[in-house]
Amino acid sequence: MTFTVETKKPAEYPCEALLVGVYEGEKGAGGLSKEAQTLDKILGGTLSRALSAEEFKGKPGTATAFHTQGRIPAQAAVVVGLGKKDKLTLPVLRMASAAGMAKARALGAKKVAVALMDEAVRGAGAGDKAQVIVEGGLLGTYRFLKYKSEKDKKAIEEVVLLLTKPAERGKAQAGTAKGEIIGEAVNFARDLVSEPAASLTPTLLAEEARKVAREAGLKIKVMEKAEVEKLGMGAFLGVSLGSDQPPKFIVLSYEPERGGARRKIALVGKGLTFDSGGISLKPAGGMETMKCDMAGSAAVLATMRALGKLKPRVSVLGLVAATENMPSGRATKPGDVVRAMNGKTIEVVNTDAEGRLTLADALCYAVKEKVDEAIDIATLTGACVVALGKVQMGVFANDEGLRRRVMDAAKRAGEGAWHLPLNEDLKEAMKSDIADMKNTGKAGEAGATMGGLFLQEFVGSTPWVHLDIAGPAFIDRETPLSPKGATGVGVRTFLYYLMGI
Ligand code: BES
Ligand code: ZN
Ligand code: ZN
């Protein structure tokens, strides 16, 4: 899918599908965007009549197609909902583009033109608009077809953003380039998460990380079991004991050119390439979705790959403690005690609460690297899914400023995020009779917070944010921006955050 910018009139542009906007809440032609009104006139009122008959409401994320009967060179007009006119935001525009592009793809369009650049978005320029339109196009048309025998015949090949103001050309092109990098990064994360556990073992995940480093010009170090042992990462290693697959500790690093780094930030991704629960085995129903338990690490790898191209002025460490969680004669048993890199001992009362054990050591590593900020991202708790559903990640933090900055980035990125508490009183439940702490609290009580409180024990005084993506990482119903399955959540939040520094 290629994206270009052209200064041409939509009504004169030859393509198979032309995206135009409609606003919500106004009846008939009144709700048409400027471009849609022009087209409507040429089409003899077809659009406005059809829209009122079809009761297309113009809601964000909806789209409907009309054949143009040869009255304009575009074969179909794909009308996309832009929501309330005075409330058009970049996230809405992203979603509208995604819905429209998905519709165009379903029509079998190879060449798509977009007439949305003239819509007014408060505080946004041509670059921002082009960026989200391109992001939406890539996200809304993504499919994971690697294991399907029938290949994808319906793929949009060419997208042209139509401009009426030639002066906006440069900015629109720059925005398009950014949007492509971001959209492709999210789709790369989706590819990794969709990959079955057998073909994405810790070893293969480390191989992917090496590829990322090569492509993006990053430094990489992959530590084997012996080295991890030497570092004292007993919590991480304890999780890996039951698996025949060797664990890998992946360290990717991005440094801006000519120095000039403003801060050093660690992104820590949970990298459980499969979570069976271990000896505390999960029930069979739905266990196949636990290949998604490396979605945090996918978000980190995808972010690192994009950083090499976006080149923000910040140093970034990408850390992944990759392993499987499997039952076997060698597996950690409930009641076993492990020692994390910072010396803390943990009684593992439930081997299914393994993510926090791997993250504990990865966070200790980040602290040792003297980062200014650490952000971890993890499919950590079912409790977070119960609390927030599949549309928001849970956000926990020990630093209010960092939390606000990350949540602001999530908002701009169009990713749902909700602040949840780290109530210290609840720590009581993680007291162990024989070790410094247990790896779980009381079942059914504040499970998501408990995960966060556990991790907090390993970050010291480093400003830290924990993103629990157990809900939004892998979804069972498609949304305008994502098909069923892997969503690539977190990548956009990370990239928007790091680009804003
Ligand atoms: N990987 C799971 C969490 C999860 C649940 C991810 C649903 C994606 C969707 C995690 O390792 C886990 O099993 N957590 C336990 C913790 C409990 C034993 C304290 C859980 O949530 O049940
Ligand atoms: Zn688990
Ligand atoms: Zn897990």
Side-chain angles (χ1 to χ4, degrees):
M1 204 166 178
T2 63
F3 293 88
T4 49
V5 173
E6 287 187 39
T7 341
K8 298 259 170 61
K9 287 203 173 77
E12 293 166 12
Y13 199 79
C15 57
E16 281 142 315
L18 174 67
L19 268 54
V20 288
V22 172
Y23 290 98
E24 189 185 345
E26 294 162 58
K27 289 205 186 69
L32 299 182
S33 69
K34 235 189 292 165
E35 290 304 346
Q37 280 175 39
T38 314
L39 284 178
D40 193 37
K41 255 181 234 155
I42 299 169
L43 296 174
T46 327
L47 279 190
S48 46
R49 270 201 307 276
L51 286 177
S52 27
E54 274 224 3
E55 290 192 51
F56 181 77
K57 301 250 169 40
K59 289 215 184 303
T62 61
T64 185
F66 299 101
H67 286 277
T68 58
Q69 325 287 0
R71 296 202 206 200
I72 57 170
Q75 287 171 25
V78 174
V79 176
V80 300
L82 295 175
K84 297 256 161 58
K85 184 152 194 173
D86 50 347
K87 289 213 180 98
L88 180 58
T89 59
L90 291 170
V92 169
L93 189 57
R94 184 191 289 112
M95 224 202 278
S97 165
M101 232 64 100
K103 189 59 120 191
R105 180 184 180 281
L107 293 175
K110 300 276 174 238
K111 182 171 185 178
V112 177
V114 183
L116 293 171
M117 286 295 288
D118 281 344
E119 304 312 320
V121 180
R122 197 179 300 161
D128 305 309
K129 287 191 268 186
Q131 182 183 323
V132 296
I133 289 170
V134 172
E135 281 179 28
L138 287 167
L139 299 175
T141 56
Y142 170 85
R143 295 289 178 279
F144 184 73
L145 299 166
K146 185 173 166 187
Y147 296 104
K148 290 271 190 195
S149 310
E150 201 168 314
K151 288 305 159 202
D152 191 17
K153 286 186 216 101
K154 286 183 173 173
I156 298 172
E157 284 160 13
E158 206 185 335
V159 176
V160 183
L161 271 57
L162 299 177
L163 292 180
T164 52
K165 302 176 191 114
E168 289 184 340
R169 198 183 175 83
K171 283 208 170 124
Q173 268 165 343
T176 298
K178 261 198 214 170
E180 279 188 85
I181 295 167
I182 296 167
E184 275 163 12
V186 176
N187 288 345
F188 172 59
R190 290 172 175 179
D191 282 344
L192 290 177
V193 175
S194 305
E195 198 63 60
S199 43
L200 196 73
T201 59
T203 303
L204 293 168
L205 186 67
E207 272 318 305
E208 286 294 333
R210 283 211 177 87
K211 246 188 265 166
V212 164
R214 223 177 302 136
E215 284 166 17
L218 312 174
K219 273 197 236 150
I220 183 163
K221 187 162 75 175
V222 176
M223 289 189 261
E224 306 296 328
K225 187 176 174 182
E227 220 172 325
V228 174
E229 241 157 11
K230 243 186 260 159
L231 284 170
M233 296 185 168
F236 168 40
L237 284 174
V239 175
S240 73
L241 291 179
S243 170
D244 287 344
Q245 296 293 335
K248 305 277 167 177
F249 192 87
I250 305 164
V251 184
L252 277 163
S253 74
Y254 162 79
E255 288 290 340
E257 280 159 21
R258 293 172 265 112
R262 295 194 175 148
R263 286 204 286 279
K264 184 170 172 181
I265 298 178
L267 303 179
V268 182
K270 174 172 172 182
L272 264 290
T273 59
F274 191 73
D275 179 13
S276 70
I279 297 296
S280 313
L281 194 63
K282 286 183 183 294
M287 205 204 274
E288 71 280 5
T289 64
M290 278 304 129
K291 66 175 182 181
C292 87
D293 217 19
M294 38 58 71
S297 68
V300 171
L301 257 51
T303 300
M304 297 305 291
R305 187 169 90 148
L307 289 183
K309 303 175 200 160
L310 292 168
K311 303 192 188 306
R313 287 177 61 186
V314 56
S315 299
V316 185
L317 268 187
L319 306 176
V320 179
T323 179
E324 287 182 338
N325 184 23
M326 297 292 281
S328 91
R330 278 169 285 106
T332 294
K333 301 163 194 72
D336 285 354
V337 175
V338 295
R339 187 188 299 272
M341 192 175 162
N342 67 351
K344 285 204 173 146
T345 57
I346 304 153
E347 183 189 359
V348 181
V349 293
N350 189 324
T351 64
D352 197 12
E354 84 299 336
R356 63 198 70 184
L357 296 167
T358 65
L359 291 166
D361 279 329
L363 287 167
C364 286
Y365 186 92
V367 171
K368 218 177 114 195
E369 289 293 311
K370 296 196 167 39
V371 296
D372 299 299
E373 299 168 359
I375 310 175
D376 78 71
I377 179 160
T379 44
L380 203 69
T381 67
C384 202
V385 192
V386 173
L388 301 176
K390 298 236 146 209
V391 292
Q392 283 168 322
M393 52 181 125
V395 183
F396 302 83
N398 66 356
D399 184 277
E400 192 53 16
L402 178 61
R403 180 192 67 78
R404 277 176 206 268
R405 296 197 296 280
V406 171
M407 285 188 71
D408 180 58
K411 191 169 180 192
R412 285 182 281 124
E415 296 195 305
W418 195 260
H419 182 196
L420 292 171
L422 285 173
N423 188 332
E424 300 274 336
D425 295 340
L426 294 168
K427 261 167 59 175
E428 178 79 23
M430 277 190 293
K431 277 198 174 148
S432 162
D433 292 337
I434 67 163
D436 297 337
M437 60 199 295
K438 297 193 293 186
N439 72 331
T440 66
K442 192 159 170 251
E445 290 185 17
T449 288
M450 220 53 84
L453 285 169
F454 181 91
L455 297 178
Q456 192 174 19
E457 296 297 309
F458 303 90
V459 296
S461 57
T462 306
W464 155 79
V465 164
H466 158 53
L467 304 175
D468 192 333
I469 55 164
F474 204 84
I475 56 178
D476 34 32
R477 236 180 310 144
E478 65 170 17
T479 67
L481 290 169
S482 175
K484 253 171 80 167
T487 61
V489 67
V491 177
R492 279 180 286 140
T493 296
F494 280 157
L495 290 175
Y496 272 74
Y497 177 57
L498 297 168
M499 285 190 302
I501 291 176

